[in-house]
Amino acid sequence: MARRYPIRKIKSHRAYTFEEVADELGCSIQTVRTWSKQGLSIIDDKKPYLALGGDLKNFHAERVAARKFSLGDTGFLCTSCKTVRQPLGAMADYIPLNDRRGYLEALCCACERRMCRFVQARDLNVFSAKLEIAVSAK
Ligand SMILES: [Zn+2]
């Protein structure tokens, strides 16, 4: 998983040197240089190079948005494939944690490793419409 940075420490209307960005966010200067190569806009007509706080905030907001994904109705996050996968054979086991919550356990359709997804018990009928669900005892 990509690292999270305390981007709220950055002020929108301030210009930062790469060293100041690294200090504020707790990363290395090389990380800030890498961001500038990846699309962070910088003021580079003279040294020291500067990054505007607003640009930094936008750059990070786009990176966070790019990492978001939706599981959809019956998707599971496979931690081996690092993507959303459907359960093998459209089958899953429901393991209740209490009366209201539990988790679905299934095998990945691509790598056949175990995947889990937490669900509310009241939402089980949504899953059972599309998956064959075996309910385990508590
Ligand atoms: Zn997988």
Side-chain angles (χ1 to χ4, degrees):
M1 180 180 278
R3 187 172 159 193
R4 291 180 180 194
Y5 296 97
I7 202 71
R8 277 198 257 162
K9 288 182 172 180
I10 299 294
K11 308 243 184 304
S12 293
H13 298 290
R14 214 193 121 183
Y16 293 87
T17 64
F18 286 10
E19 289 81 7
E20 288 169 334
V21 172
D23 279 351
E24 288 290 333
L25 301 183
C27 62
S28 71
I29 294 170
Q30 186 56 49
T31 301
V32 184
R33 287 188 193 120
T34 302
W35 292 340
S36 75
K37 288 175 192 158
Q38 291 174 343
L40 171 66
S41 56
I42 54 169
I43 303 167
D44 60 356
D45 51 346
K46 63 180 178 183
K47 290 196 175 183
Y49 295 161
L50 298 173
L52 294 176
D55 290 342
L56 260 170
K57 285 177 179 267
N58 289 340
F59 178 75
H60 278 274
E62 286 169 16
R63 285 166 62 97
V64 167
R67 285 199 300 263
K68 288 199 171 175
F69 58 87
S70 170
L71 291 177
D73 277 353
T74 58
F76 287 69
L77 178 66
C78 177
T79 52
S80 298
C81 301
K82 294 183 175 34
T83 188
V84 177
R85 297 282 191 199
Q86 295 301 311
L88 182 70
M91 292 185 299
D93 294 329
Y94 179 71
I95 294 101
L97 295 171
N98 55 40
D99 290 341
R100 295 185 322 196
R101 295 198 72 209
Y103 60 93
L104 288 172
E105 205 175 79
L107 297 178
C108 173
C109 64
C111 68
E112 298 189 17
R113 295 224 170 104
R114 187 173 156 265
M115 310 183 290
C116 288
R117 177 175 174 169
F118 284 92
V119 292
Q120 302 281 323
R122 65 171 184 253
D123 296 336
L124 263 184
N125 55 348
V126 175
F127 290 93
S128 59
K130 293 179 178 165
L131 301 175
E132 186 180 315
I133 295 180
V135 178
S136 302
K138 225 182 274 189

